[in-house]
Each structure stands twice: as C-alpha cells, then as structure tokens.
Amino acid sequence: MKNQNAIIGYYSTKFGELWDKTLDDLIMDAFQGILQEVKLEASAIDAVFLGNMLGGVVEENLLLSAHVSELTGIHVPVYRVEAACASGGLAFQSADDYLNSHPDSTVMVLGAEKMTDIGAGEITKSLAAAASVDEQAAGLTFPGVYAILAQIYLDKYGYNEEHLASISVKNHAHGVLNEKAHFRRYVTIDNVLESPYVAYPLKVLDSSPISDGAATVILTNKKEHIASSKAVSILASEVATDSISIAKRKNLDSLEATVIAAEKAFKKAGIGRQDVHVMEVHDCFSIAEILALEDLGFWEKGKGGQLAKEMVTSRESGSNLIVNTSGGLKAAGHPVGGTGIKQIGEIYLQLTGQAGERQVKNLQFGLTHNVGGSGGVAVVSILGV
Amino acid sequence: MKNQNAIIGYYSTKFGELWDKTLDDLIMDAFQGILQEVKLEASAIDAVFLGNMLGGVVEENLLLSAHVSELTGIHVPVYRVEAACASGGLAFQSADDYLNSHPDSTVMVLGAEKMTDIGAGEITKSLAAAASVDEQAAGLTFPGVYAILAQIYLDKYGYNEEHLASISVKNHAHGVLNEKAHFRRYVTIDNVLESPYVAYPLKVLDSSPISDGAATVILTNKKEHIASSKAVSILASEVATDSISIAKRKNLDSLEATVIAAEKAFKKAGIGRQDVHVMEVHDCFSIAEILALEDLGFWEKGKGGQLAKEMVTSRESGSNLIVNTSGGLKAAGHPVGGTGIKQIGEIYLQLTGQAGERQVKNLQFGLTHNVGGSGGVAVVSILGV
C-alpha cells in the first residue's frame, strides 16, 4: 500500500549521556546523518520540523529554527514544535500535514534534546514545566503524577508492583538488541522490585532515563524520491489534547487523548487493531505502557496488568503484537524531543526489513504512540508498506 | 478578491502591565473574546495555533496545548508555535497552511505572553534566549544586538540618532488612537533623544516595552462562515530563516530573512508594493522599522533614515503608505507571542473598515511583518479584500 506521503529514511544519534555534545551538535549530527542516509543535499529540503521541549528552559536556547539555519545555511521554513514529551511525535504529525498542502515537497523532521548538562534535581524540575502550575505548586514531579495514575490502576484492578515491573523487564530485553539504546542490559523482576522508589509505587527501574540524543526522518510526496528508496507510507497521524492537570480529567485509569487520537488514526488508516503487529508506545513509566495498550484499543481496560505480567508483547512471546522493539523510552532512552521521531524510525526500520537483530518478520503495518505531559497531548501514527 | 482562506474576526486584550492576569487568564480572555466576536461556539473550532515564546523560560509553563484543552474543554489539535518574537506571525502562517490541507475547517490563532511578573533584568535575560549562545555568553542582550545593527546603519549611510527617533515619535502618535495600546501618549524628538541609553545609540524611547497581552484571529475556509462575516482574504503568508548569530550573516544593514519572505509573499499574492497602502512592521527598536521598510522592498536601501525623519509613513503625511497604525510594537506594546497576531488583527480591522479613529481610507491590501530574534526568522503576510 502506497499513500501520498512517505518516509524515505531514518537516522538517529546514539541515545545516552553524551557529555561531549551540545544541543546544536546533536541537531547537526542528525541533520548531516540523515542527508547521508537518504543521499540528498540540504538544498533538497523544503522545510524542517524540529521537535524540542527544553531548549528554552534548561539552557536559554530558543528560536531553534534560526540555529538550524545558521548550522546548515538553509533559509527554508523551520518550525519548532513543542508539546513536552510529544514534541517529536507532533513534529512528525505537523510535517505529514504540511505535505498534504505542499505537493512535490520533501521535509525533514528532526527531534533533539540535550538533558544531561544540568543536575538531576534541576532537570526533574524543568520536566515538571509540562505539568500544570497547580501540580507544580503542590510539589508534584512527573514520577509523582504517574505514581498517582499507577496507584489508582493497581488499586482499581487488583494488581501489584510486579505487574508493572514486567514492562521494564521486557523493554530492557528488547533494548539489548538496539545498538543506539541508552541501556543495553537485561534486568530481572527482582532488579526492578529492589530498585529504589522514585514515587511509590514507581521505582528507578519503572522509569525512563534522562537522555541526550537526536533522531530524524525524511518525509516526501515526490514520486521520484519514493520510487528510489525504501519507502513507508503514512496512513494516518492524529493528535488529541486533554486537560494538563490530572485533577480535571474525567477518568484516571485512562488517558483520553490517547483514546481519541487512536480512534481518529484507525478510522483514517482504514485498518483494524488486528492488522498491527509491531508498535512503539510511550512507556515513560511502566504504568504508561499498560495504559497505552488499553487506551489504544489493543487490550481490554483493566486486563493490562495481567497481560503485562505474561509479557505477551515481548519478542520471545511469539505473539502477533510486539511492543517497543527499540527498548522503548525505558531502555532506548528518552531525549524528549527525539523520542517521537525514534518511535517512527523504529517502525520504519521494522517495516522496511532494516531492523537487524531485532527484526520482526512478516510486517505490513506499524503504529507509534507519543504522549506529552501526563496525557495532555497524544499523537498516534499508523504506517504501512 | 476572495481567496480560499479568510480571516473572519479579531479580538485582543488590552496590552500593558496586566498585574491581575496570568498567562492562562490571558489565553482564556482571548479565547472567549474572539468566540463572542465571531458568534461561534468552541465546538466550531477544528484546531488551535498558539503563539507563545516565554512560557517555559519565565514561568515553567510548557505544553500550553493542554492548558487550552483544560481551560476550554476542547480535545482538538492544539499546536504551540515558538519562534521567539515571531511566534504569533508563525502561528498565523502555520494556521493558513493547515487550512490548505483541511477543507471546510475553522481554526483559531491565538498569541499570548505574560512578561511582567518577573524583574526587568530577568525578562531581558529570558528574551536573550532567542540570541545565539555565543551572543548570550558575550553579554549581548537584544537591545545590544539591535544597537550594533543601528550603529552600522547610521555609520554606513550617514544618519544620526534623530533619524531613529522619528520612528518612535510617529508610532507613539499612532498609538494614541488605539484603545488597546500599552502607551497612549505623544512623544517628541527631544523626549526620545533625552531618554536614557539602553545600548548606544538606542535609548528607552527607541525600544518597545515589556508587555502582557493576548490577541487572536479566526481563520476559515468554510464558505458559510466567510459569507456571513466581514472577511479578509489571506493572499500570502511566507516565512524565511537566517543565522541566529549576527556574526554569521552576510550583511548587517539588512535582514535577509525579511527580504526572502517578502519576495515569496509578493510573488504568491500577485500584487506589487504600490498596491499596499497600510502595513504593520516589526519595530522592536526604531532601527528595525527602517530596516523593515527597506528589506520589504518599499524603500531603497540606505534611504530609510531620511524617509523616517520626513515621517512619510505617518497618518499625518497624507501619503499612500501608512505604517504601524496600531502604534507598532513601540506604542501598542510587545507581548511577544501576541504581537504577530495583533499585526494581522490591525490590518484586518483596517481592511474591513473597523479601525475607528485610526481608520485609513480606500484600502484593498495590507501587509504584516513579524521578526524573531535579530532576524533569524521573518514572517510576511499579505491580506486583501
């Protein structure tokens, strides 16, 4: 299946603690890396969509559009997209939309984040800028907000911390096969359960790390570019919003923005859940992956704890739905602006048979799910070959 | 002339020191104000484009999309656009583009900024986040960067501070007629020349103020909405980028991003400079308006100092090109995310005969020009009736 807009290449830096790289370095590494990958000159790029959350907050770096122009010499439109941890996914969604009104165009979508140059306390405070003012004033950090969601879920459906831990065990096992991952080591259920609490019931090993990194894809609707490359069609990319404060939400065992975005995306793509055999979902904390599988419509509400414990979406399960082959945010790392693009890139690699050791076989469709804040924004994209 | 995409209404809060308003208050005032103005329900809005620069930097307020959802109950796509002082203009440009791929849709473009809750030193430092890291490290603030541009211009073309001062005198006179303006008082050449230096040769009265405020327009391509309202067509809205550092630019007596965006916009609109009789340009400092008139192609390069002194674009001149009838950034105020939308709104009011005391007669076309940083981004839009 070929749609009008296609992804024709993916590149990412290593994700991790990249002490010798500035934000501009990461942007430039990704910019040059993807052009080399797709064998295009910078002059072939008609616009750039740049996902970045924290440039302004942690290092007084705004107007990143003009950084791109300075580093590369281009004068084309550059759009900085900020939607907290969904900045990358929303940059992709915006770029797909851009192509719908710009025939014969080629666009770069680049997500980058530099997070490790400030202390852990400071970065936690900066990330909390994507929580509501009231939540921040109450002293809630993001682990705290997701801990509330986790407590409610475990209480309501009768699960415990071991059910959550299974998500991290699976994603770490997947990440071992990803050469760009922040962490490439196995963890056990006991490792997770014995790791220190961050915010009860979430522990260090329930939580995605603070990472540096950049990831980029090239989108095009130029027939000659699509024909000459390994192309993946964008069947749908949809976004929905919800209250920034969890106190103002209707339900706390579900992220409504995910539900709405997924419904729109499946309707537009014209396929069913049963057609998707690989996907990357937003596992910023272990509880988030369970909520995601339910809210995206793959698992019945309340069944996620048990299914997570059975690791039915692991590579080893042999099931027909493998989730977070990249290692997810947990093991591959979470440079926030880069994460949404890495998700797209992982599905691109899987659908084009370029995923190496972590290749899943016989794929036609894949899905990505990127969340901003505690569910204030969700972006769901469906790709196909 | 009717194009596909039209502006059907404008609303803004007062611009100024709004001590009793938070950023969320400003967003909500504008949201409710524009819906009342155009007599639409919130459910009629298919997407929101939100221009804001400093939410993350000055008050740890990111993910503004989810603020809008919380405040209003909507779940539609909300895009936060950040391009420093061009955030509003780029939000408008992005929304116009969005409509090109979304037939039968209605979009809100809302720009808001809360700037006065922190000290003057702190806000100056925060604004400098839109300068390059090297410029910031060198101790350059935005007045400093524009002061360099001013020195070069005055030296190269043989002008003095009085030439610059004329811009402020004109814009303050215009602002007296704008009931939403931050400043509504006349200043004289002597007032400007006697005001304290901020960065030689720029003085307090060469500089736009730190303002709070929000402005919003509704764009649509729904025929029934266009037919039932005072509509203005969007003939072109174009953006170009340039190096964030002035040290990396080819010329320092010109902003190349403005030149490129203007050329693209006039080409797309299919009209000439002589057809434009009213426009809002980015006068963050007096020198910026002189550069704008030259770079937009209205004045010959190097002649701007003299023409500014002759005040050929003042209401009183009786000329056929009146610039910054709102008072410009200088007198109307400069809540950065709001500025680009206010520019669009002012031209909308002028073209629809709703500009009251400051109405310019016999208009068919108008132009807006919004700059980010010291010229790293420029957005030029051309409107017509």
Side-chain angles (χ1 to χ4, degrees):
Chain A
M1 186 186 299
K2 292 273 177 198
N3 212 27
Q4 192 183 353
N5 301 338
I7 307 165
I8 58 167
Y10 168 58
Y11 177 85
S12 91
T13 67
K14 172 113 177 70
F15 283 9
E17 299 185 14
L18 310 178
W19 299 107
D20 59 338
K21 298 287 185 186
T22 65
L23 179 60
D24 282 1
D25 289 338
L26 293 169
I27 290 172
M28 201 52 189
D29 284 359
F31 188 91
Q32 292 176 323
I34 189 67
L35 291 180
Q36 205 164 349
E37 177 68 25
V38 298
K39 298 183 179 60
L40 288 176
E41 300 291 322
S43 57
I45 304 299
D46 298 302
V48 177
F49 287 79
L50 184 65
N52 174 265
M53 173 185 179
L54 292 169
V57 182
V58 307
E59 49 177 331
E60 312 250 303
N61 237 334
L62 288 171
L63 197 63
L64 291 172
S65 42
H67 288 239
V68 171
S69 182
E70 174 160 331
L71 293 165
T72 64
I74 64 175
H75 292 283
V76 300
V78 183
Y79 299 91
R80 181 207 164 194
V81 178
E82 185 268 309
C85 297
S87 297
L90 194 63
F92 176 79
Q93 190 274 333
S94 299
D96 177 48
D97 219 23
Y98 176 93
L99 285 179
N100 290 333
S101 59
H102 292 79
D104 206 32
S105 293
T106 298
V107 174
M108 180 183 294
V109 192
L110 196 161
E113 208 79 45
K114 178 65 194 177
M115 303 180 74
T116 59
D117 277 354
I118 62 173
E122 196 58 37
I123 194 75
T124 299
K125 183 165 175 288
S126 296
L127 287 165
S132 79
V133 170
D134 291 343
E135 288 169 343
Q136 291 182 54
L140 270 174
T141 59
F142 264 91
V145 175
Y146 274 94
I148 292 173
L149 301 179
Q151 287 180 37
I152 288 167
Y153 186 84
L154 297 186
D155 275 4
K156 183 165 180 179
Y157 299 108
Y159 296 119
N160 59 44
E161 295 169 48
E162 198 176 329
H163 293 88
L164 300 176
S166 308
I167 295 290
S168 300
V169 171
K170 171 182 74 69
N171 288 345
H172 266 268
H174 288 179
V176 168
L177 301 178
N178 179 359
E179 67 285 2
K180 299 286 181 74
H182 190 155
F183 300 123
R184 303 188 69 189
R185 63 186 178 89
Y186 294 98
V187 300
T188 64
I189 294 284
D190 283 346
N191 291 153
V192 180
L193 294 178
E194 288 162 12
S195 67
Y197 281 106
V198 178
Y200 175 84
L202 300 177
K203 293 163 289 293
V204 167
L205 287 179
D206 286 293
S207 312
S208 57
I210 303 298
S211 313
D212 306 322
T216 175
V217 286
I218 300 286
L219 309 190
T220 190
N221 53 21
K222 278 183 189 277
K223 288 206 176 70
E224 68 270 26
H225 285 171
I226 295 174
S228 65
S229 54
K230 292 183 175 172
V232 164
S233 295
I234 305 166
L235 305 182
S237 185
E238 297 290 335
V239 54
T241 52
D242 195 1
S243 161
I244 189 164
S245 314
I246 61 170
K248 305 280 171 62
R249 307 252 179 94
K250 277 189 237 159
N251 300 304
L252 289 179
D253 64 342
S254 168
L255 300 188
E256 193 175 357
T258 296
V259 174
I260 296 171
E263 278 175 13
K264 288 166 69 180
F266 276 103
K267 188 174 170 193
K268 184 168 178 201
I271 65 168
R273 269 71 173 177
Q274 73 285 353
D275 299 316
V276 174
H277 302 313
V278 66
M279 61 185 189
E280 293 281 307
V281 307
H282 197 89
D283 60 321
C284 50
F285 298 95
S286 51
I287 180 64
E289 180 163 326
I290 295 174
L291 295 179
L293 270 285
E294 295 181 353
D295 295 336
L296 289 166
F298 288 85
W299 290 351
E300 192 183 330
K301 180 56 65 187
K303 301 286 187 200
Q306 184 56 36
L307 292 164
K309 190 169 178 180
E310 294 170 9
M311 297 203 200
V312 300
T313 61
S314 73
R315 295 180 51 81
E316 285 67 33
S317 69
S319 81
N320 63 2
L321 176 63
I322 313 301
V323 173
N324 284 336
T325 52
S326 73
L329 283 60
K330 177 67 198 82
H334 183 29
V336 290
T339 287
I341 314 295
K342 179 221 68 177
Q343 295 179 319
I344 294 286
E346 177 69 12
I347 299 300
Y348 171 82
L349 294 178
Q350 291 286 354
L351 293 180
T352 54
Q354 302 180 78
E357 279 193 282
R358 59 188 194 282
Q359 184 68 49
V360 177
K361 288 185 181 153
N362 301 321
L363 295 172
Q364 190 178 0
F365 303 106
L367 179 150
T368 64
H369 163 252
N370 193 197
V371 172
S374 58
V377 173
V379 186
V380 174
S381 301
I382 299 177
L383 311 178
V385 283
Chain B
M1 186 183 302
K2 291 274 177 197
N3 212 29
Q4 193 183 352
N5 302 338
I7 306 165
I8 59 167
Y10 168 60
Y11 177 84
S12 91
T13 68
K14 171 111 176 73
F15 284 9
E17 299 184 14
L18 309 178
W19 299 107
D20 59 339
K21 297 286 184 186
T22 65
L23 179 59
D24 282 2
D25 290 338
L26 293 169
I27 290 172
M28 202 52 188
D29 285 357
F31 188 92
Q32 292 175 324
I34 189 66
L35 291 179
Q36 205 164 348
E37 177 68 25
V38 299
K39 299 183 178 59
L40 288 177
E41 299 291 320
S43 58
I45 304 301
D46 298 300
V48 178
F49 287 79
L50 184 64
N52 174 264
M53 173 184 179
L54 292 169
V57 182
V58 307
E59 49 177 331
E60 312 250 303
N61 236 334
L62 287 171
L63 198 63
L64 291 171
S65 42
H67 288 240
V68 171
S69 182
E70 174 159 330
L71 294 165
T72 64
I74 63 175
H75 292 282
V76 300
V78 183
Y79 300 91
R80 181 204 164 196
V81 178
E82 185 268 309
C85 297
S87 297
L90 194 64
F92 176 80
Q93 190 273 333
S94 299
D96 177 47
D97 219 22
Y98 176 94
L99 285 179
N100 290 333
S101 60
H102 292 78
D104 206 34
S105 294
T106 298
V107 174
M108 181 183 293
V109 191
L110 197 161
E113 208 79 45
K114 177 66 193 176
M115 304 180 74
T116 59
D117 278 355
I118 61 173
E122 196 57 39
I123 194 75
T124 298
K125 182 165 174 289
S126 297
L127 287 165
S132 79
V133 170
D134 290 342
E135 287 169 345
Q136 291 182 54
L140 269 175
T141 58
F142 264 91
V145 174
Y146 273 95
I148 292 173
L149 301 180
Q151 287 180 35
I152 288 167
Y153 186 85
L154 298 186
D155 276 3
K156 183 166 180 180
Y157 299 108
Y159 296 119
N160 58 45
E161 295 169 49
E162 196 175 331
H163 294 87
L164 300 176
S166 308
I167 296 291
S168 300
V169 171
K170 170 183 74 71
N171 288 346
H172 266 268
H174 288 179
V176 168
L177 301 177
N178 178 0
E179 67 284 3
K180 300 284 182 73
H182 190 154
F183 300 123
R184 302 188 69 189
R185 62 185 178 88
Y186 294 98
V187 301
T188 64
I189 294 284
D190 283 346
N191 291 152
V192 180
L193 294 178
E194 288 161 12
S195 67
Y197 281 106
V198 177
Y200 175 84
L202 300 177
K203 293 163 291 290
V204 167
L205 288 178
D206 287 292
S207 311
S208 58
I210 302 298
S211 313
D212 305 324
T216 175
V217 286
I218 300 286
L219 309 191
T220 191
N221 52 21
K222 276 183 190 278
K223 289 208 176 70
E224 67 271 28
H225 285 170
I226 295 173
S228 66
S229 55
K230 292 182 174 172
V232 164
S233 295
I234 305 166
L235 305 182
S237 185
E238 297 290 336
V239 55
T241 53
D242 196 1
S243 161
I244 189 164
S245 314
I246 61 169
K248 304 281 171 62
R249 308 254 180 92
K250 277 190 238 158
N251 300 304
L252 289 178
D253 64 342
S254 169
L255 300 188
E256 194 176 357
T258 296
V259 173
I260 296 171
E263 277 175 13
K264 287 167 69 181
F266 275 103
K267 189 176 170 191
K268 184 167 179 203
I271 66 168
R273 269 70 173 178
Q274 73 286 353
D275 299 317
V276 174
H277 301 314
V278 66
M279 62 184 187
E280 294 279 309
V281 306
H282 198 89
D283 61 319
C284 51
F285 298 95
S286 51
I287 180 65
E289 180 164 325
I290 295 173
L291 295 178
L293 270 285
E294 295 181 353
D295 294 336
L296 289 166
F298 287 85
W299 290 353
E300 192 182 331
K301 181 54 67 186
K303 300 287 186 197
Q306 184 56 35
L307 291 164
K309 188 168 179 181
E310 293 170 9
M311 297 203 198
V312 299
T313 61
S314 74
R315 294 182 52 80
E316 286 67 34
S317 69
S319 80
N320 63 2
L321 175 63
I322 313 300
V323 173
N324 283 337
T325 53
S326 73
L329 283 61
K330 177 65 199 81
H334 183 28
V336 290
T339 287
I341 313 294
K342 180 221 68 178
Q343 295 179 321
I344 294 286
E346 177 69 12
I347 299 299
Y348 171 81
L349 294 178
Q350 290 287 353
L351 294 180
T352 54
Q354 300 180 79
E357 278 193 282
R358 60 188 192 282
Q359 184 67 50
V360 176
K361 290 186 179 149
N362 301 321
L363 295 172
Q364 191 178 0
F365 303 105
L367 178 148
T368 64
H369 164 253
N370 193 196
V371 172
S374 58
V377 173
V379 186
V380 174
S381 302
I382 299 176
L383 311 178
V385 284

